Amino acid sequence: MENKGLIFVISGPAGSGKGTVVKRLREIMPSIGLSVSATTREPRPGEIDGVSYHFVTREKFESLVENGEVLEHTEYCGNMYGTLVSEARRILDAGNDMILEIEVDGALQVKRIMPDNAVAVMLIAPSREEQERRLRDRGTETEESIAGRVARAEEEIALADRYDYVVTNETGKTDECAEKLRAIISAEHSRYERMKPFVDEYNQR
Ligand code: 5GP
């Protein structure tokens, strides 16, 4: 896949508040594209097919994988999730940066496939207590699902050293957190290796 924009992989272990922060980031950076993943999970109340996720059956998901239509995929708490190649093409071919809101396993796959174009950011709640409180407050998960997600979050946070950035999402400070992400995106575009073509051309004149 030819990459024009950069890929910002944002992993927010359960309870990090990632959804709210990414929503705010997209308001302040409207040009950035959000890839809509495919999942076999049941929609939560208010989730819209094609907007929140492409909700598919397990059979359909398996055929997407077999036909090479997903960039990465993983199983998370009993459901399959994957990034569609078509979504990535739509955003990157238009020359825009792309956000992938995905868990750690998928994030590491993307870093392996596109080491030069993918930047991985892990978003973490300010404390474990706060993380669990946020999960319960959402009110959409069963106790079993909460326990599974908390356990998975612990495994994910243990892999923070594989990420390029770690950002804490303090309670009530969504704007500040989104600003930190904006600063990262801006700085990544200014890295020497990405600016080298400009510098070379500048020097030739
Ligand atoms: P949820 O069920 O809460 O919407 O998502 C569960 C987890 O799956 C979250 O960590 C979310 O970021 C992750 N996720 C969503 N879409 C994808 C995807 O396409 N690939 C991977 N690897 N993870 C995903």
Side-chain angles (χ1 to χ4, degrees):
M1 186 178 302
E2 191 189 334
N3 294 317
K4 292 167 185 156
L6 296 179
I7 301 169
F8 291 92
V9 180
I10 303 183
S11 297
S16 63
K18 164 192 51 153
T20 316
V21 171
V22 169
K23 186 165 172 274
R24 182 70 193 129
L25 176 66
R26 294 185 68 217
E27 283 165 8
I28 60 176
M29 294 190 86
S31 68
I32 202 156
L34 177 67
S35 162
V36 180
S37 296
T39 184
T40 62
R41 166 166 82 58
E42 289 294 315
R44 293 185 186 124
E47 283 186 332
I48 300 167
D49 188 28
V51 177
S52 319
Y53 280 105
H54 297 283
F55 294 100
V56 297
T57 61
R58 202 164 258 264
E59 293 70 45
K60 172 72 180 166
F61 195 94
E62 280 162 10
S63 89
L64 290 170
V65 174
E66 269 167 31
N67 297 330
E69 292 177 59
V70 295
L71 202 60
E72 61 70 37
H73 68 283
T74 201
E75 183 160 354
Y76 177 98
C77 296
N79 294 302
M80 302 303 298
Y81 294 82
T83 302
L84 294 167
V85 172
S86 56
E87 286 283 315
R89 285 236 162 88
R90 172 178 66 79
I91 298 165
L92 296 174
D93 288 355
N96 291 322
D97 287 344
M98 172 168 78
I99 296 179
L100 297 182
E101 227 187 287
I102 64 179
E103 54 65 64
V104 171
D105 183 34
L108 300 182
Q109 291 179 49
V110 173
K111 287 278 285 177
R112 249 193 326 271
I113 303 167
M114 286 170 287
D116 298 336
N117 296 58
V119 178
V121 183
M122 185 179 278
L123 210 60
I124 307 187
S127 67
R128 278 171 186 242
E129 293 70 31
E130 179 59 15
Q131 174 210 18
E132 266 195 55
R133 194 190 61 74
R134 287 179 189 173
L135 260 177
R136 282 176 208 289
D137 279 4
R138 186 155 74 187
T140 55
E141 310 296 321
T142 61
E143 274 304 313
E144 190 191 353
S145 165
I146 291 173
R149 282 164 183 262
V150 167
R152 174 79 176 224
E154 253 176 56
E155 290 169 22
E156 294 197 321
I157 294 168
L159 292 169
D161 62 340
R162 313 281 283 276
Y163 280 66
D164 301 301
Y165 298 91
V166 176
V167 173
T168 56
N169 180 21
E170 305 289 334
T171 307
K173 295 193 177 165
T174 303
D175 286 4
E176 205 173 284
C177 188
E179 277 302 333
K180 281 191 210 166
L181 293 180
R182 175 156 70 173
I184 290 169
I185 292 169
S186 167
E188 283 293 326
H189 278 283
S190 303
R191 291 188 83 98
Y192 172 71
E193 59 269 26
R194 301 208 171 98
M195 290 302 287
K196 186 173 182 300
F198 167 81
V199 174
D200 288 348
E201 197 187 323
Y202 191 97
N203 282 336
Q204 270 166 17
R205 291 225 179 119

